[in-house]
Amino acid sequence: VQLGYMRQSQELSEDPTLFEALLEPFAALLKMQHELAVLEAQLESGDPKLLERYGALQDRYRQQGGYATESRGKALAMELGFADADLARRLSTLSGGERGRLELGRTLIAEPDLLLLDEPTNHLDTQQTELLEQRLASWPSAFVLVSHDRYFLRAVCNEIVELENGKVVSYP
């Protein structure tokens, strides 16, 4: 089971570009992409074993959605309010709100089996919140939200559990 957790605070230790950080959940696919490029450069040799290895790796890359990864990342970045020019920005240049939107994107793009979102609308404008509502309405697996935004909760949840003073109240 793959778990996706969006934290309210983002501790980003390195300084990759925004796009590199967004695609971080696909590190294995990106490594495969690099390996394909290296093998492709060696194909001129005509070595049949090299060609067989390239074909098998390319097939695995295709089956795991490798060819769509970058376009999915760019589309999600735009949905979260980032422009094309922002994709090359270093994380150290991002504001707190931009880091929050990046964290949401990194969590969503992996499409985990269980999605845990802690205040996902904190740094979203109205349009971005509506897009997130649409995305979650068709989310293929389970998710749990922590939010104070009652309108958002009503729009995306089929059950709301309120915790107050040690008591649990459930609302359909």
Side-chain angles (χ1 to χ4, degrees), residues 18-83:
L18 186 150
F19 197 57
E20 290 167 342
L22 183 62
L23 295 182
E24 191 176 281
F26 301 111
L29 272 177
L30 296 173
K31 184 178 177 185
M32 234 186 283
Q33 181 185 48
H34 176 71
E35 190 176 344
L36 280 168
V38 169
L39 288 172
E40 194 171 300
Q42 299 171 357
L43 288 177
E44 294 176 356
S45 70
D47 181 350
K49 287 185 180 183
L50 192 62
L51 185 58
E52 184 179 326
R53 184 171 160 216
Y54 178 82
L57 185 62
Q58 186 180 41
D59 191 46
R60 198 171 75 203
Y61 182 74
R62 180 188 53 78
Q63 287 177 353
Q64 293 180 16
Y67 291 109
T69 301
E70 288 187 8
S71 61
R72 282 179 53 212
K74 287 180 182 178
L76 182 57
M78 300 308 130
E79 190 176 308
L80 293 171
F82 293 108

Side-chain angles (χ1 to χ4, degrees), residues 38-156:
V38 169
L39 288 172
E40 194 171 300
Q42 299 171 357
L43 288 177
E44 294 176 356
S45 70
D47 181 350
K49 287 185 180 183
L50 192 62
L51 185 58
E52 184 179 326
R53 184 171 160 216
Y54 178 82
L57 185 62
Q58 186 180 41
D59 191 46
R60 198 171 75 203
Y61 182 74
R62 180 188 53 78
Q63 287 177 353
Q64 293 180 16
Y67 291 109
T69 301
E70 288 187 8
S71 61
R72 282 179 53 212
K74 287 180 182 178
L76 182 57
M78 300 308 130
E79 190 176 308
L80 293 171
F82 293 108
D84 275 334
D86 292 327
L87 299 179
R89 288 176 55 198
R90 294 279 169 202
L91 294 188
S92 59
T93 69
L94 300 181
S95 69
E98 289 169 325
R99 285 174 177 249
R101 293 194 331 256
L102 169 62
E103 182 71 18
L104 176 60
R106 286 172 24 153
T107 306
L108 293 173
I109 200 166
E111 296 180 349
D113 301 311
L114 177 59
L115 183 61
L116 304 173
L117 300 174
D118 189 359
E119 297 290 351
T121 60
N122 267 359
H123 302 289
L124 303 181
D125 64 21
T126 304
Q127 181 182 5
Q128 293 160 357
T129 300
E130 289 172 358
L131 288 170
L132 179 58
E133 286 174 6
Q134 292 170 12
R135 182 178 286 271
L136 292 176
S138 63
W139 194 256
S141 58
F143 61 86
V144 176
L145 300 171
V146 175
S147 181
H148 293 90
D149 185 341
R150 291 178 187 260
Y151 296 107
F152 178 72
L153 289 171
R154 285 188 190 117
V156 299

Side-chain angles (χ1 to χ4, degrees), residues 2-34:
Q2 184 185 15
L3 177 70
Y5 174 49
M6 183 212 158
R7 296 165 179 82
Q8 256 190 73
S9 62
Q10 298 77 42
E11 292 87 26
L12 305 169
S13 58
E14 295 185 23
D15 197 25
T17 66
L18 186 150
F19 197 57
E20 290 167 342
L22 183 62
L23 295 182
E24 191 176 281
F26 301 111
L29 272 177
L30 296 173
K31 184 178 177 185
M32 234 186 283
Q33 181 185 48
H34 176 71

